[in-house]
Amino acid sequence: MATRTNIPGTSPFEPIIGFSRAVRIGNAVHVSGTGPVGAEDLSPAEQTRVVLKLIETALSQAGATFEHVVRTRMFLARVEDWEEIGRAHGEVFGTIRPASTMVVAALLNPKWRVEIEAEAVLP
């Protein structure tokens, strides 16, 4: 059986909801939906960059990098933000090109414009 490692983050929602920022099982890393905690008043692109930095930290703690990411899911609060958020996502993933999805959904904090999940597979 593969070893499970829970990677905590800094979200105030983790203990309330009962989740880890990321979970590594074997060579797979699953990063929870990550919102721009503390960056609520920034633009959608800047919120996306903050979220991606939080994801990068979680991946690093799991022994992974952005290059190991095979899937992302972007949850947008407003459909009109798709291009701005997409371009910020592309700054990181433009050459990596994981499978990716954008969905418009209500987010936990009404000031959040984006929340992102990621999955990585280590060699």
Side-chain angles (χ1 to χ4, degrees):
M1 179 162 226
T3 302
R4 175 188 176 118
T5 305
N6 291 343
I7 296 135
T10 57
S11 170
F13 301 111
E14 287 178 35
I16 296 166
I17 298 171
F19 72 95
S20 297
R21 172 61 39 226
V23 175
R24 178 174 175 173
I25 297 187
N27 67 341
V29 180
H30 305 275
V31 182
S32 294
T34 304
V37 176
E40 292 86 357
D41 295 326
L42 298 179
S43 72
E46 286 302 316
Q47 285 190 18
T48 304
R49 291 181 188 105
V50 167
V51 166
L52 290 170
K53 187 65 179 161
L54 292 168
I55 290 171
E56 182 179 39
T57 299
L59 289 168
S60 176
Q61 290 172 331
T65 66
F66 282 135
E67 287 75 24
H68 297 114
V69 172
V70 296
R71 171 174 276 294
T72 62
R73 290 178 189 88
M74 293 169 275
F75 300 92
L76 285 59
R78 301 178 188 170
V79 69
E80 62 268 20
D81 293 339
W82 78 268
E83 190 168 3
E84 188 176 347
I85 290 167
R87 288 185 187 283
H89 180 273
E91 291 169 8
V92 170
F93 292 111
T95 59
I96 299 166
R97 307 210 30 162
S100 192
T101 302
M102 277 187 172
V103 176
V104 178
L107 303 180
L108 190 59
N109 181 326
K111 289 187 170 187
W112 291 358
R113 305 293 280 276
V114 64
E115 184 172 332
I116 301 174
E117 296 178 351
E119 296 173 13
V121 177
L122 295 150

